[in-house]
């Protein structure tokens, strides 16, 4: 074991994104301990000695499982992301039911106490390294929204929806259905919504979206950089 200090690294890496906590119970214990230490101390202030102690392992054992603190944090995020399981659409589901199911699953995941705590940690660590939060957004948030984009692309191709830009429309639907709840909870402006309030908001957002973009709707073309907005 070398004497290098892995805590000097400030950017989470992607060297072992396939770390499987189910394959080795020690990894799950390590992730739980790391999350506890990171949330209590902050990523940059936390040390691998503290993580090892919290996990009930020697530091040497920890380094047989993970190469550095940066990789540990990146793998912890990957582990969290692996817990996000979208339901498989059934043949008899309507487009509205597919979107509602997807958004409710994503909303419940993002609004969970664990995810809110992790995102608050990343926001706090942004002052140390802007790249830190960009890695999170690129590898986690964007991947979570990619499935919604895929659903919208399918609606455009196979169900007659008018969706000229799946990425743009995905962002708008996400913001309408979840954005206010997520931001309010994240900054502590409001308590997490109740199950009923969340379901009501998501269903209404999907209804409005389908009414505006469904086969019977007429959707205005998206303005280009050289064109004024339809509202001026």
């Amino acid at each position: 074991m070398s004497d290098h200090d892995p805590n000097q690294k400030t950017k989470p890496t992607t060297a072992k994104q396939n770390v499987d906590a189910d394959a080795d119970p020690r990894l799950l214990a390590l992730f739980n301990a790391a999350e506890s230490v990171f949330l209590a101390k902050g990523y940059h202030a936390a040390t691998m000695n503290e993580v090892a102690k919290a996990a009930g392992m020697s530091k040497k054992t920890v380094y047989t499982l993970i190469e550095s603190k940066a990789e540990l944090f990146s793998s912890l995020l990957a582990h969290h992301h692996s817990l996000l399981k979208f339901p498989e659409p059934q043949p008899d589901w309507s487009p509205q039911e597919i979107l509602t199911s997807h958004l409710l699953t994503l909303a419940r995941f993002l609004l969970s106490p664990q995810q809110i705590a992790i995102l608050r940690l990343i926001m706090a660590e942004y002052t140390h390294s802007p790249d830190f939060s960009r890695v999170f957004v690129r590898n986690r948030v964007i991947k979570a929204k990619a499935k919604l984009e895929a659903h919208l692309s399918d609606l455009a191709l196979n169900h007659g929806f008018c969706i000229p830009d799946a990425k743009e429309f995905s962002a708008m639907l996400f913001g309408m259905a979840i954005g206010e709840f997520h931001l309010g909870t994240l900054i502590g402006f409001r308590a997490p919504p109740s199950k009923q309030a969340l379901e009501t908001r998501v269903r209404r957002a999907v209804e409005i979206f389908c009414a505006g973009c469904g086969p019977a709707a007429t959707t205005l073309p998206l303005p280009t950089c050289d064109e004024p907005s339809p509202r001026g």
Side-chain angles (χ1 to χ4, degrees):
M1 183 71 61
S2 67
D3 293 327
H4 77 283
D5 182 8
N7 295 319
Q8 294 300 314
K9 295 185 179 181
T10 59
K11 291 193 268 187
T13 64
T14 56
K16 292 186 178 180
Q17 290 297 302
N18 60 342
V19 173
D20 187 359
D22 293 329
D24 190 337
R26 295 177 302 170
L27 276 173
L28 183 58
L30 182 59
F31 290 157
N32 290 336
E35 183 172 346
S36 176
V37 173
F38 289 154
L39 292 179
K41 307 258 312 184
Y43 171 81
H44 285 83
T47 68
M48 290 296 274
N49 281 328
E50 292 168 326
V51 172
K53 183 177 179 181
M57 303 177 187
S58 68
K59 193 174 178 181
K60 181 177 180 180
T61 298
V62 168
Y63 281 122
T64 65
L65 300 171
I66 214 82
E67 291 182 359
S68 67
K69 186 175 75 168
E71 186 182 290
L72 175 58
F73 188 79
S74 185
S75 296
L76 173 61
L77 293 181
H79 170 65
H80 271 280
H81 186 67
S82 72
L83 302 177
L84 176 57
K85 305 291 186 183
F86 292 104
E88 192 66 31
Q90 300 302 306
D92 60 340
W93 282 11
S94 68
Q96 191 165 318
E97 288 173 322
I98 292 173
L99 291 177
T100 299
S101 175
H102 177 92
L103 284 165
L104 280 173
T105 299
L106 183 57
R108 289 164 184 155
F109 176 77
L110 293 176
L111 290 167
S112 68
Q114 295 86 352
Q115 290 304 308
I116 291 294
I118 286 287
L119 190 49
R120 284 173 176 165
L121 167 66
I122 290 168
M123 291 170 62
E125 295 295 329
Y126 178 83
T127 55
H128 294 283
S129 173
D131 288 330
F132 189 88
S133 56
R134 281 196 286 268
V135 167
F136 170 81
V137 170
R138 183 173 64 249
N139 292 340
R140 301 290 161 255
V141 177
I142 290 178
K143 286 181 180 179
K145 291 182 179 179
K147 198 169 184 67
L148 179 57
E149 292 177 24
H151 283 317
L152 295 188
S153 295
D154 178 70
L155 293 181
L157 289 173
N158 301 313
H159 297 277
F161 274 63
C162 185
I163 303 175
D165 187 332
K167 184 175 182 179
E168 178 71 12
F169 277 49
S170 172
M172 290 191 291
L173 177 56
F174 177 88
M176 181 167 57
I178 305 172
E180 182 188 357
F181 283 150
H182 191 226
L183 179 61
T185 303
L186 183 62
I187 64 177
F189 180 75
R190 61 177 300 160
S194 66
K195 179 180 178 181
Q196 181 178 359
L198 181 61
E199 289 186 1
T200 298
R201 171 67 65 85
V202 169
R203 292 185 188 282
R204 284 177 178 171
V206 171
E207 286 174 3
I208 293 170
F209 180 84
C210 289
C213 300
T218 300
T219 304
L220 292 174
L222 291 176
T224 66
C225 296
D226 297 323
E227 296 175 346
S229 165
R231 292 191 177 186

